[in-house]
Amino acid sequence: MAEQQMPQAMTQEEQQKQQEQAAQQEMERDSMLRAILDGEARERLKRIACVKPEKARAVENYVIQSVRAGRLPPPVSDSKLKQLLEAMNEQTGGGSGPKITFARKKNGIDDDW
């Protein structure tokens, strides 16, 4: 019975170790982004992350890789981040869904009959 509990304890320890490593990597990532992005760009990215976390993560990855490769000089301003977002939207085919248009009546009176 003690032998059966041992593997479970190891898996719990391994899970805890993996969680600690993930938290450490996330802290390093955040500190890197703080060093790379200016305040306004960080705030914009946080707002995007609230709505579309996967898109924000992709932008973060792109910015980090670009700075590491020397293609993008730090600090990245809000206007530069906007340009990156627009370029990424064009590459992925635009917005998140179909565009909605409203058909308005041509005369100024709303008649229901």
Side-chain angles (χ1 to χ4, degrees):
M1 186 143 171
E3 293 172 5
Q4 290 177 349
Q5 291 178 352
M6 192 69 156
Q8 289 177 349
M10 290 180 121
T11 58
Q12 289 176 354
E13 288 175 8
E14 289 172 0
Q15 288 176 352
Q16 185 177 4
K17 189 181 259 189
Q18 287 176 351
Q19 288 175 349
E20 289 172 2
Q21 287 176 348
Q24 180 68 25
Q25 288 174 350
E26 195 62 32
M27 287 175 40
E28 289 174 9
R29 179 184 185 83
D30 286 342
S31 67
M32 238 187 300
L33 287 170
R34 274 194 300 274
I36 293 171
L37 299 171
D38 72 356
E40 291 178 8
R42 264 195 327 271
E43 286 299 317
R44 181 176 300 278
L45 208 51
K46 285 180 187 177
R47 288 191 303 267
I48 292 170
C50 290
V51 179
K52 296 183 179 181
E54 64 281 346
K55 183 171 187 158
R57 192 72 166 188
V59 172
E60 289 172 355
N61 290 337
Y62 180 79
V63 168
I64 290 171
Q65 289 173 357
S66 295
V67 169
R68 282 183 177 168
R71 294 187 305 254
L72 194 61
V76 177
S77 66
D78 187 47
S79 61
K80 183 63 180 173
L81 185 65
K82 285 181 192 177
Q83 291 173 355
L84 290 172
L85 289 167
E86 289 172 1
M88 290 180 85
N89 275 342
E90 288 174 8
Q91 288 176 354
T92 58
S96 62
K99 196 170 203 170
I100 299 173
T101 56
F102 292 96
R104 305 266 186 216
K105 291 186 177 184
K106 293 187 181 183
N107 58 4
I109 303 172
D110 271 341
D111 288 337
D112 290 340
W113 46 285

